[in-house]
Amino acid sequence: MATIHVDGKQYEVNGSENLLQACLSLGIDIPYFCWHPSLGSVGSCRQCAVKQYANPEDTRGRLVMSCMTPASDNTFISIEDKEATDFRESVVEFLMTNHPHDCPVCEEGGHCHLQDMTVMTGHDRRRYRFTKRTHYNQELGSFIAHEMNRCIACYRCVRYYKDYAGGTDFGVYANASRVYFGRPESGTLESEFSGNLTEVCPTGVFTDKTHSARYNRKWDMQYAPSVCHGCSSGCNISPGERYGELRRIENRFNGEVNQYFLCDKGRFGAGYVNLDSRPRQPQFRNKHEVSSVSVDEALDAVIATLKGKKVLGIGSPRASLESNFALRELVGTSSYSTGMSQKEQSLVELAVSILQSEGIYNPNLREIESYDAVVILGEDLTQTAPRMALSVRQAAKNKAKEMAAKTRTPAWLAEPVLRIGQDEKSPIYILAATQTRLADVAMAEVVASPNDIARLGFGIASVLKGEHVVGLDDDAKVFAESIADTLKTAKKPLIIAGTSLQDASIMEAAAELVQALGDNAGLSLVVPEVNSMGVALLDGLSLEQVLSQSYDALVIVENDLYRHLPNAQVQAAFEKAEQIIVLDHSETATLQQANIVLSAASFAEGDGTVVSQEGRAQRFYQVYDPSYYKPEYAIKESWRWLHAIQTGLRGQSVSWTVLDDVIEHIVKQVPTLEAIQDVAPNAGYRVHGLKVAREPRRYSGRTAMRAPISVHEPKQPVDLDSALTFSMEGYVGPQDASSLVPFAWAPGWNSPQSWNKYQDEVGGHLKGGDSGIRLFDLLPKRPARHYVTPIATSQRTDSFHLIPMHHIFASGEFSIKTPAMQSRIPEATFALGEHDAKRLNIQDGQQVTIQVGESRISLPVHIIDYLPEGYIGYPIGQAPTVSWAEPVALSLGAHA
């Protein structure tokens, strides 16, 4: 700690920070542009100038940049000194010399850090009367719009894109007032994290193109705290809605998970919520005939259909805990399925078992950044858990920070740390089935079959335990010893594995490695869906187990079975059922087989709890009520539909009227989920006697929204499920418990930088603690289990095995349906290594047919530099689901 003196007042601060960060953490406003909590200080904008004095008697002082000055003990500064304020005002005026002053037409208006800082400095007169410098803009793809004339040359964009996110196709060009930030030429930004430019940029140079298509100001959207459903990482988001459409996804700060950044899948991949093809009313379906019906008609039909029948319930790892639990209550434990295949469920249950073992610690995403050696077994993280990949990139920089610390250079001095570190990186080893996007930060990347990856992982563990290494050739043994030596010398080693290659032995090898490394090691396991961990903790049968029973009817909740089982298997299951009832918010192949469809809420229209890959239970909240805009819409959370069916079948009155009722029953019946009641405040929570407003104070046009229905503005919807209100007449602003903050705004701070006001210290954690409860930290630990090295598989030359190939945009069930994603989704192809292609005389682009069990799939081939011999890369999400254990027969088509 250090004592600093600001304008005559004394404060205790963290002495390792710079003065700007220390003052902002105290709630003292200093304008700034180039500094960012995650990017450090470069002092390029000169906007954060303050007057520093040598001692209390010094009256002259000198101007310093607060972002470049340590908050050391007995520092005396003045923010309000006239020389400092005049200097800051002149800096803004110079920065604005070439700015077009186009706030009324700029998409960043009302969301703009430049606006906030200009007001804060008091600059309000434009004196420059000459011709402004102008630039041509670039086409940067379907996500990002570019308006270079608004640039103030703060360098944040290039520092984020290249230095933080590892992008290679973006830079800074020219010099002086002609400096230009963009690509060497127009073209789609290649980084999977490019969308963060919209929030990193303090002006309107980079804006959200998906939002621009249906644009409105920030203050005219209503928001709710939410959780991204794109993968299992559990990133926090603030979805914004207007006119019953989801208009924008913004990052929602969580100091233990995503912090300031999202991947592009999470930011731009929710457009499916707005699709016209969605079921927004209950439906009766008879082959191709679809008729919409009322809620009462639908419920009466379902109850009549299910009464006295043997009913199976199929849940989903993308549905909330509440909806899965309600389904289990309806059909009974013995008839409830998690909605995962036997293979997928066994893998997720293995992950749950490992993470509950003694001596195993699973870090959160922020903690991953602090590890000084990382081994990734079998995961292409950028495709399966992209936000974790971004954290691993930061872990690679710890070597440079360590080198800088030896010279007493603070880690927040970004440029000196880069110069000191040069190309040195913390050791990262990647063992994957194909080349990955993290190869540029890896000390070594090995491409191997899943079986070889697992055996190499066990080999490293054997070296660490001092045991004889078996089953590896000499080169592999030397490599295993090299990795083991690195892990031994590391202070905090981390092992990452997961389910993506459909091989349990990879996760078992990861567990062996962590147990061999001891207490300082961490283990992170990636699972497929947003709530895979949650349904695994809820318990249930796999799809194969439940469908092997006799049954009359199926109730399927938010699940497309064709994504979990081969088509023939799903079709056979549907043919056995007299009635198929589907609850979903999207038109899927499974929904098209339904007799009755109940229109379920998406994450934007309902509340619920999900559990991330680290075991963090988090709550997402309803952003808007669709029936407010179109009264004929009857969209309800799946748990509401299911409870109404259950009570109707039993002749009981409805007892679950609010979300808290469901959570109370889950806590009583599922002890492992007891902590979910503490995930977020209940519906009775108030701030100064007020519910928390979803709408900013300036929200406008509510009457006009419903003018086609009625010129009279009706009462706003009433939210009984949470402490949020569908109104601007509620609490808005910083509060002690920030887990319910729907959007970032504080007096004088409209941009995403206003998250500073909600943190215990800037760049730290939310006041009152970050959102979510880590369940595995609270559950009893199981005895550590040791696993056996798998037997090496021999590959026949006349058959192949499949390797799952994931793609961040193409593999997701809903990102592939999002319009903005279409240009980023590659053509569906099989991948084949050069060696096998030459052996079989297959040309790139040639059509190939594979036979897996009863499934025949034909796709063109993409030849890649290396893939293990005897393996074919299979595009997850773009081709029918197959059985991974079966060998594959391959036949050739004509050359492309």
Side-chain angles (χ1 to χ4, degrees):
M1 299 298 289
T3 301
I4 65 172
H5 304 264
V6 183
D7 288 314
K9 296 182 180 179
Q10 181 175 307
Y11 300 94
E12 292 291 321
V13 299
N14 184 344
S16 64
E17 298 172 349
N18 58 60
L19 280 173
L20 173 61
Q21 186 167 2
C23 289
L24 291 172
S25 297
L26 293 168
I28 301 170
D29 290 342
I30 300 177
Y32 63 91
F33 287 118
C34 65
W35 179 80
H36 186 283
S38 294
L39 305 180
S41 304
V42 291
S44 68
C45 73
R46 322 307 287 173
Q47 184 61 72
C48 64
V50 298
K51 182 71 78 70
Q52 183 177 17
Y53 301 95
N55 50 55
E57 289 74 35
D58 182 8
T59 58
R60 185 175 180 181
R62 64 191 180 100
L63 287 176
V64 298
M65 301 307 119
S66 58
C67 75
M68 301 293 288
T69 307
S72 52
D73 202 27
N74 286 323
T75 297
F76 294 83
I77 64 170
S78 173
I79 300 170
E80 302 302 327
D81 177 84
K82 189 174 188 310
E83 184 182 3
T85 57
D86 288 348
F87 181 85
R88 293 198 298 267
E89 185 176 349
S90 69
V91 168
V92 168
E93 185 171 18
F94 282 125
L95 290 175
M96 296 288 282
T97 299
N98 286 300
H99 193 279
H101 293 258
D102 60 345
C103 300
V105 297
C106 177
E107 288 95 330
E108 199 74 0
H111 189 67
C112 178
H113 187 63
L114 176 60
Q115 286 179 333
D116 293 345
M117 298 300 99
T118 303
V119 171
M120 191 180 294
T121 57
H123 171 62
D124 60 1
R125 293 292 183 274
R126 177 177 172 181
R127 296 189 292 169
Y128 183 74
R129 300 180 181 275
F130 305 99
T131 302
K132 290 179 179 285
R133 169 223 62 207
T134 57
H135 291 292
Y136 288 107
N137 301 320
Q138 291 184 321
E139 172 57 44
L140 298 178
S142 60
F143 296 158
I144 305 293
H146 188 231
E147 177 50 79
M148 187 57 209
N149 293 320
R150 297 171 184 152
C151 182
I152 60 170
C154 71
Y155 285 81
R156 266 199 198 180
C157 58
V158 70
R159 292 172 56 220
Y160 160 74
Y161 195 93
K162 293 182 68 175
D163 300 340
Y164 191 92
T168 58
D169 61 323
F170 182 94
V172 55
Y173 307 96
N175 61 4
S177 65
R178 300 181 302 278
V179 69
Y180 191 94
F181 296 88
R183 287 171 50 87
E185 59 185 7
S186 288
T188 300
L189 288 168
E190 296 172 1
S191 172
E192 293 83 359
F193 309 97
S194 64
N196 294 306
L197 289 172
T198 64
E199 293 185 11
V200 167
C201 176
T203 75
V205 177
F206 302 100
T207 53
D208 185 337
K209 189 179 284 189
T210 65
H211 183 209
S212 299
R214 294 279 286 164
Y215 183 74
N216 55 272
R217 293 298 186 196
K218 173 180 179 175
W219 59 74
D220 282 338
M221 285 189 283
Q222 63 177 352
Y223 302 83
S226 193
V227 179
C228 177
H229 280 47
C231 73
S232 64
S233 295
C235 296
N236 287 200
I237 57 174
S238 287
E241 171 271 346
R242 179 76 165 173
Y243 284 104
E245 294 179 341
L246 204 57
R247 294 287 178 87
R248 183 173 187 170
I249 301 288
E250 297 175 30
N251 181 73
R252 184 171 184 273
F253 185 86
N254 186 314
E256 292 186 350
V257 188
N258 48 294
Q259 299 176 76
Y260 292 96
F261 305 121
L262 297 172
C263 75
D264 286 354
K265 181 180 181 180
R267 187 179 294 275
F268 302 112
Y272 67 91
V273 173
N274 299 331
L275 293 178
D276 292 335
S277 60
R278 280 189 56 196
R280 291 182 169 87
Q281 296 169 270
Q283 298 172 346
F284 290 165
R285 292 191 171 220
N286 182 12
K287 293 185 179 178
H288 300 295
E289 295 180 10
V290 179
S291 58
S292 297
V293 297
S294 69
V295 171
D296 289 341
E297 285 179 290
L299 287 174
D300 289 345
V302 172
I303 292 167
T305 296
L306 299 184
K307 189 164 287 185
K309 300 292 179 64
K310 169 64 173 176
V311 183
L312 300 183
I314 297 177
S316 172
R318 65 169 165 89
S320 68
L321 282 175
E322 291 81 2
S323 294
N324 277 283
F325 178 76
L327 179 63
R328 197 179 82 166
E329 289 291 283
L330 171 65
V331 301
T333 305
S334 61
S335 299
Y336 163 73
S337 168
T338 61
M340 295 186 281
S341 68
Q342 181 67 55
K343 182 70 171 177
E344 181 182 345
Q345 182 162 325
S346 65
L347 289 168
V348 177
E349 287 176 344
L350 174 62
V352 169
S353 175
I354 289 172
L355 294 181
Q356 289 186 73
S357 300
E358 290 179 353
I360 299 282
Y361 176 72
N362 65 315
N364 58 49
L365 291 185
R366 183 172 190 156
E367 288 177 297
I368 287 174
E369 298 179 5
S370 67
Y371 284 82
D372 59 351
V374 181
V375 175
I376 302 172
L377 297 177
E379 289 294 315
D380 184 354
L381 286 181
T382 309
Q383 316 304 333
T384 60
R387 188 57 186 81
M388 187 183 293
L390 195 59
S391 293
V392 170
R393 282 196 176 276
Q394 310 325 305
K397 299 169 186 173
N398 288 328
K399 177 68 173 178
K401 292 178 181 178
E402 181 184 337
M403 294 169 66
K406 291 178 180 178
T407 66
R408 299 188 178 181
T409 302
W412 46 263
L413 280 173
E415 289 300 321
V417 171
L418 276 176
R419 288 197 300 272
I420 292 167
Q422 294 294 317
D423 294 326
E424 293 293 324
K425 294 180 177 64
S426 296
I428 294 175
Y429 294 93
I430 302 174
L431 285 61
T434 185
Q435 292 178 327
T436 74
R437 299 277 282 187
L438 286 175
D440 60 309
V441 295
M443 181 171 286
E445 181 180 67
V446 172
V447 177
S449 70
N451 178 263
D452 288 341
I453 291 170
R455 291 189 301 108
L456 187 52
F458 276 104
I460 300 168
S462 295
V463 175
L464 289 169
K465 291 184 287 187
E467 298 174 353
H468 180 63
V469 179
V470 296
L472 296 181
D473 59 32
D474 291 341
D475 288 344
K477 284 181 183 178
V478 171
F479 186 55
E481 290 167 356
S482 172
I483 297 177
D485 290 342
T486 301
L487 294 175
K488 284 178 187 176
T489 59
K491 297 174 184 175
K492 286 183 67 177
L494 173 67
I495 312 300
I496 298 174
T499 64
S500 69
L501 291 185
Q502 303 284 317
D503 193 320
S505 59
I506 293 177
M507 287 193 290
E508 294 172 351
E512 281 292 308
L513 259 173
V514 172
Q515 291 176 54
L517 286 167
D519 294 339
N520 292 331
L523 173 65
S524 191
L525 298 177
V526 178
V527 294
E529 300 274 7
V530 61
N531 201 25
S532 293
M533 285 292 192
V535 291
L537 290 169
L538 192 59
D539 289 331
L541 305 176
S542 69
L543 284 170
E544 291 91 334
Q545 288 172 320
V546 78
L547 292 174
S548 67
Q549 303 179 24
S550 59
Y551 53 90
D552 302 312
L554 293 174
V555 177
I556 303 170
V557 176
E558 300 178 42
N559 198 332
D560 185 2
L561 302 193
Y562 291 98
R563 289 184 63 88
H564 297 275
L565 294 175
N567 290 2
Q569 206 168 338
V570 177
Q571 207 57 43
F574 286 160
E575 289 171 1
K576 283 174 60 179
E578 297 174 10
Q579 291 289 325
I580 301 170
I581 295 140
V582 174
L583 295 79
D584 213 332
H585 51 71
S586 188
E587 185 81 12
T588 68
T590 295
L591 185 137
Q592 292 169 0
Q593 301 292 322
N595 304 110
I596 302 174
V597 174
L598 300 180
S599 42
S602 69
F603 76 92
E605 299 145 338
D607 310 283
T609 308
V610 291
V611 183
S612 72
Q613 53 85 22
E614 62 162 304
R616 181 181 296 271
Q618 299 184 97
R619 195 147 301 141
F620 61 91
Y621 290 96
Q622 183 180 15
V623 183
Y624 64 101
D625 182 354
S627 64
Y628 177 76
Y629 303 99
K630 294 197 174 182
E632 67 271 21
Y633 285 175
I635 296 175
K636 303 179 184 301
E637 293 102 327
S638 293
W639 64 262
R640 290 190 193 275
W641 286 115
L642 294 164
H643 183 63
I645 295 168
Q646 178 188 342
T647 53
L649 285 170
R650 298 178 183 178
Q652 301 170 341
S653 60
V654 171
S655 58
W656 296 353
T657 57
V658 296
L659 184 71
D660 289 339
D661 295 335
V662 197
I663 293 171
E664 183 181 342
H665 278 78
I666 294 175
V667 167
K668 287 179 181 177
Q669 297 192 35
V670 188
T672 55
L673 297 173
E674 182 180 358
I676 69 168
Q677 63 189 327
D678 301 319
V679 163
N682 62 26
Y685 176 79
R686 299 292 184 271
V687 182
H688 304 309
L690 299 173
K691 298 189 86 173
V692 179
R694 285 177 170 86
E695 300 173 0
R697 295 283 192 217
R698 292 173 288 176
Y699 194 92
S700 63
R702 289 200 312 207
T703 306
M705 284 180 173
R706 287 178 47 98
I709 303 171
S710 171
V711 296
H712 304 290
E713 182 185 3
K715 180 182 178 181
Q716 289 292 299
V718 177
D719 186 358
L720 300 176
D721 290 307
S722 75
L724 300 166
T725 177
F726 291 103
S727 173
M728 70 183 86
E729 288 82 34
Y731 179 81
V732 176
Q735 59 195 67
D736 291 337
S738 297
S739 61
L740 278 181
V741 178
F743 55 90
W745 176 89
W749 295 78
N750 297 285
S751 78
Q753 294 296 293
S754 52
W755 281 114
N756 296 345
K757 298 295 182 179
Y758 295 87
Q759 298 164 3
D760 53 7
E761 61 177 14
V762 173
H765 301 271
L766 290 177
K767 295 175 181 176
D770 294 307
S771 299
I773 298 286
R774 282 169 52 93
L775 300 181
F776 295 135
D777 292 348
L778 305 175
L779 296 175
K781 292 294 184 182
R782 302 173 179 175
R785 179 183 168 188
H786 290 281
Y787 301 95
V788 179
T789 307
I791 299 172
T793 58
S794 58
Q795 186 62 48
R796 293 162 47 190
T797 58
D798 59 341
S799 68
F800 286 80
H801 283 289
L802 297 180
I803 287 181
M805 302 282 277
H806 298 263
H807 189 277
I808 180 174
F809 303 130
S811 297
E813 181 174 355
F814 296 119
S815 58
I816 202 168
K817 297 179 180 180
T818 296
M821 291 286 177
Q822 299 310 305
S823 64
R824 302 297 303 273
I825 295 174
E827 179 188 11
T829 61
F830 295 129
L832 198 65
E834 278 189 354
H835 183 275
D836 280 330
K838 288 179 181 177
R839 179 171 62 86
L840 299 172
N841 194 26
I842 295 177
Q843 307 300 314
D844 193 71
Q846 185 174 349
Q847 196 78 6
V848 166
T849 299
I850 64 169
Q851 177 87 36
V852 190
E854 298 179 22
S855 301
R856 285 178 62 85
I857 303 102
S858 295
L859 289 174
V861 163
H862 176 51
I863 310 253
I864 60 178
D865 290 342
Y866 183 75
L867 200 67
E869 291 181 32
Y871 283 86
I872 298 173
Y874 192 80
I876 299 297
Q878 293 182 284
T881 302
V882 294
S883 172
W884 299 103
E886 296 186 47
V888 177
L890 179 149
S891 58
L892 307 182
H895 286 210

